[in-house]
Amino acid sequence: MVRCPRSCCCTCVLIQVCILAFLVLTQWYTVFFPESLSSKTQSHLGPFCTDVDGHLQCKSRKLLCGCASGSCEEGGNVDWESLRNLNFTGGIVRMATFKKEMKIPGACAWNGGPRVDSTLLIRLLGGVVEKKTNADGSSRPPCTQAPTHAWNEIELPHSNCFLMLGGQTSAFRDRGFHAFRVVLHDTTWRFWERERGKLSYDGLLLHHQRPLSEQHVKLLKHIIDNGDRRQVDRKTSASQFERSLDQGYDLSPIFLEFVPAAFSFQDDALLSMIAAYFGLFGVYRVLPFMPQVRVNCVVVALLFGRDPKGLQSLVPKESHQQIRLHARRLNDLWQEELAPIFDEASNVFKTSTEVTLPQTWQQQWCLRWLFPRRKTKTLTLDFQEQIHHFRADYLRKVLSPLKRALLQYSNELEAYWSQKFALADELLEYKLDTFSVLKDQTSEGCEATSVVDQLLFCPDFKKMKHWQDTRKTVTGSTVVTETDRAVRSLLYWHAIDQITGTKEQK
């Protein structure tokens, strides 16, 4: 093996250091320098909300772009034509959040690596270390104010209005961490009054006020031109495939869906927040040794402020349109075919039943006209007894029609169905030998992959893996709820498979 001379190694190290220094200076010049200049200038309208003596004071909703007519005051529609004619000249971007107190550990350490003082890291990320005392004068561990829900406030002085941009869980999802979207306007009006004394425009992991750049404008126009509007809809989530959103009760936010199955959307996304804070999220997300990258509303707000081009690449027009196409189809399927079945399902399991008592010897030997009707008795049923009495009805009235409706929608769903309802499907197809083998392999169904299979076939609900994991009370409605979740899940992952071209089923 050929070894480089010592001088060659030193040269290589020097080149690497110079490259790193160049990248740091470039990031400082493009990310932090514009903020240092803009933060010193006074804006035309000022912050949309201010915190005065612990009381939140916000401007009228009529100052939200597209809401000048007052249509947004009661959660009405946004004027899209007004949004398309906005003047972005001289615009300013701020990042706002509701802060919460977070304890600071004494030191952070990586296995085999150096120990880093956490207070230095907090200051590097824009935070302030606070030292407080208890009522008795004893010192408390140092703390800082960390962001919770965060959003961007875009002030447009020439249009005399504000845009609120943020990230929220998508209505088109399996679980909450599976799908995310960028929205205009991101409003949390019902929470603002409750979070008194917590509004902040400056602090840990928040970018400072900065001028609206050409890339910011391109992203905003991209959202306005290509986004969809969620209507204010008071229907329950049971009547359509998409889940309800809290924000849908405030405004009809204009939104673009994130690329599906690309991220995990979690509150705990510290590494992603740090990368986005330094404008390095684009590099961080493609590192080969990283697990699935986590994203949340703080990351979205930081990306819009410091890397709007990177954020726009995460919400492309094409994948958004495909998601919305599948969402409309599934909403129609749910409302027309599946919702009536689930309405029927809610009436299958009953907490009591009426049984006919056996005939007495008098009834058997005396004339029928003396005892025209046999006596009955109402029995109260526990969960296990409900399953025993009504399982066949549930298979016949609910699972069988569900499978039939799903396969009429797409034959490809058969593989998804058999995975979600393995035991039940064997009974539906009259494969009794396979059913018996599978039941034995899953401890009488108690360890089945499907929660619905566990509920329907495990002889003792306390032996179910689902109950041991959750320790929640199970009832007949639990079976219906879990069936609903399983059907939504298989439909969602089938749609994602169609959009991405890869099997992503969970």
Side-chain angles (χ1 to χ4, degrees), residues 120-128 144 202-206 208 277:
L120 295 178
L121 181 61
I122 294 297
R123 293 190 178 97
L124 183 64
L125 296 173
V128 176
T144 189
D202 185 29
L204 182 69
L205 290 169
L206 299 182
H208 297 130
Y277 180 81

Side-chain angles (χ1 to χ4, degrees), residues 108-156:
C108 305
W110 291 269
N111 292 332
R115 297 179 69 83
V116 180
D117 188 349
S118 295
T119 57
L120 295 178
L121 181 61
I122 294 297
R123 293 190 178 97
L124 183 64
L125 296 173
V128 176
V129 178
E130 301 176 2
K131 296 182 179 179
K132 300 181 179 180
T133 57
N134 295 314
D136 59 2
S138 59
S139 61
R140 294 168 56 185
C143 63
T144 189
Q145 299 296 329
T148 54
H149 178 68
W151 64 97
N152 290 110
E153 183 181 291
I154 301 108
E155 178 185 336
L156 303 179

Side-chain angles (χ1 to χ4, degrees), residues 66-273:
C67 298
S69 65
S71 62
C72 301
E73 291 293 332
E74 300 299 329
N77 293 331
V78 178
D79 181 355
W80 279 43
E81 194 59 33
S82 174
L83 291 177
R84 293 189 178 99
N85 293 316
L86 289 174
N87 187 341
F88 294 97
T89 304
I92 291 174
V93 184
R94 304 184 189 91
M95 182 174 173
T97 188
F98 292 129
K99 59 189 179 182
K100 68 174 181 179
E101 187 175 294
M102 180 185 75
K103 293 181 180 179
I104 303 174
C108 305
W110 291 269
N111 292 332
R115 297 179 69 83
V116 180
D117 188 349
S118 295
T119 57
L120 295 178
L121 181 61
I122 294 297
R123 293 190 178 97
L124 183 64
L125 296 173
V128 176
V129 178
E130 301 176 2
K131 296 182 179 179
K132 300 181 179 180
T133 57
N134 295 314
D136 59 2
S138 59
S139 61
R140 294 168 56 185
C143 63
T144 189
Q145 299 296 329
T148 54
H149 178 68
W151 64 97
N152 290 110
E153 183 181 291
I154 301 108
E155 178 185 336
L156 303 179
H158 291 278
S159 293
N160 199 44
C161 65
F162 292 86
L163 291 169
M164 301 292 188
L165 181 141
Q168 66 178 222
T169 302
S170 175
F172 183 76
R173 65 183 188 269
D174 178 10
R175 297 289 186 267
F177 54 84
H178 284 135
F180 213 59
R181 57 175 51 161
V182 175
V183 298
L184 285 177
H185 298 286
D186 176 26
T187 58
T188 51
W189 304 101
R190 287 170 293 112
F191 302 109
W192 285 15
E193 189 63 28
R194 188 180 67 188
E195 301 289 353
R196 294 183 176 182
K198 296 183 179 181
L199 177 69
S200 178
Y201 287 90
D202 185 29
L204 182 69
L205 290 169
L206 299 182
H207 70 70
H208 297 130
Q209 176 179 297
R210 58 185 299 136
L212 201 66
S213 68
E214 182 181 349
Q215 289 298 332
H216 287 119
V217 174
K218 286 182 65 176
L219 174 54
L220 291 171
K221 288 183 176 180
H222 173 63
I223 297 173
I224 293 170
D225 292 339
N226 301 309
D228 279 78
R229 178 174 59 203
R230 178 173 174 79
Q231 299 293 336
V232 177
D233 193 350
R234 306 297 178 181
K235 293 180 180 179
T236 64
S237 59
S239 64
Q240 59 182 7
F241 175 79
E242 289 191 281
R243 313 298 180 92
S244 62
L245 291 174
D246 289 338
Q247 287 88 341
Y249 288 86
D250 295 314
L251 291 180
S252 297
I254 302 165
F255 64 90
L256 277 176
E257 305 280 5
F258 263 68
V259 174
F263 303 98
S264 175
F265 304 98
Q266 308 275 356
D267 291 337
D268 181 16
L270 181 59
L271 291 179
S272 295
M273 289 189 284

Side-chain angles (χ1 to χ4, degrees), residues 211-490:
L212 201 66
S213 68
E214 182 181 349
Q215 289 298 332
H216 287 119
V217 174
K218 286 182 65 176
L219 174 54
L220 291 171
K221 288 183 176 180
H222 173 63
I223 297 173
I224 293 170
D225 292 339
N226 301 309
D228 279 78
R229 178 174 59 203
R230 178 173 174 79
Q231 299 293 336
V232 177
D233 193 350
R234 306 297 178 181
K235 293 180 180 179
T236 64
S237 59
S239 64
Q240 59 182 7
F241 175 79
E242 289 191 281
R243 313 298 180 92
S244 62
L245 291 174
D246 289 338
Q247 287 88 341
Y249 288 86
D250 295 314
L251 291 180
S252 297
I254 302 165
F255 64 90
L256 277 176
E257 305 280 5
F258 263 68
V259 174
F263 303 98
S264 175
F265 304 98
Q266 308 275 356
D267 291 337
D268 181 16
L270 181 59
L271 291 179
S272 295
M273 289 189 284
I274 293 174
Y277 180 81
F278 289 111
L280 298 172
F281 183 79
V283 176
Y284 166 73
R285 65 180 287 255
V286 297
L287 293 176
F289 54 84
M290 290 300 300
Q292 190 176 36
V293 175
R294 295 182 174 185
V295 173
N296 57 23
C297 60
V298 178
V299 174
V300 170
L302 285 168
L303 284 175
F304 179 80
R306 292 183 168 169
D307 186 14
K309 185 177 181 180
L311 179 57
Q312 184 168 341
S313 70
L314 304 181
V315 286
K317 172 184 175 181
E318 295 74 20
S319 67
H320 168 79
Q321 290 178 337
Q322 291 184 61
I323 290 173
R324 297 316 307 159
L325 176 62
H326 281 275
R328 287 189 290 271
R329 288 175 177 173
L330 291 177
N331 284 335
D332 291 342
L333 171 69
W334 200 275
Q335 187 171 9
E336 296 171 8
E337 302 290 340
L338 304 185
I341 299 174
F342 280 106
D343 289 340
E344 177 71 20
S346 62
N347 299 318
V348 171
F349 295 101
K350 300 178 177 64
T351 57
S352 63
T353 186
E354 192 173 280
V355 297
T356 303
L357 297 176
Q359 286 183 325
T360 63
W361 67 269
Q362 294 97 331
Q363 292 172 321
Q364 293 176 355
W365 291 98
C366 294
L367 295 176
R368 181 173 296 181
W369 63 270
L370 294 175
F371 301 96
R373 294 186 60 186
R374 296 176 63 179
K375 293 184 178 181
T376 60
K377 180 181 180 181
T378 301
L379 295 179
T380 300
L381 305 177
D382 62 22
F383 172 72
Q384 220 65 63
E385 291 169 334
Q386 290 180 54
I387 294 297
H388 177 72
H389 276 79
F390 304 115
R391 177 169 50 208
D393 287 344
Y394 194 75
L395 291 170
R396 177 172 55 86
K397 296 181 178 180
V398 180
L399 293 186
S400 181
L402 279 175
K403 182 178 182 180
R404 187 163 54 251
L406 292 174
L407 295 188
Q408 288 175 352
Y409 177 76
S410 173
N411 287 330
E412 296 176 357
L413 288 170
E414 185 164 11
Y416 294 79
W417 173 274
S418 61
Q419 182 176 340
K420 289 291 184 183
F421 305 98
L423 279 169
D425 192 49
E426 299 297 339
L427 275 186
L428 290 176
E429 298 299 326
Y430 299 102
K431 299 177 181 178
L432 300 183
D433 292 341
T434 310
F435 170 77
S436 298
V437 172
L438 187 57
K439 192 174 181 182
D440 290 339
Q441 291 175 346
T442 57
S443 301
E444 296 295 305
C446 299
E447 296 179 3
T449 303
S450 166
V451 176
V452 177
D453 282 344
Q454 293 178 37
L455 291 165
L456 288 176
F457 300 107
C458 182
D460 182 356
F461 76 89
K462 291 189 176 180
K463 294 182 180 179
M464 292 191 313
K465 185 178 183 299
H466 172 71
W467 186 85
Q468 292 176 355
D469 291 341
T470 63
R471 299 286 174 171
K472 291 183 178 179
T473 303
V474 292
T475 63
S477 62
T478 307
V479 183
V480 181
T481 299
E482 292 299 331
T483 304
D484 178 286
R485 289 177 178 174
V487 172
R488 290 178 187 273
S489 178
L490 69 88

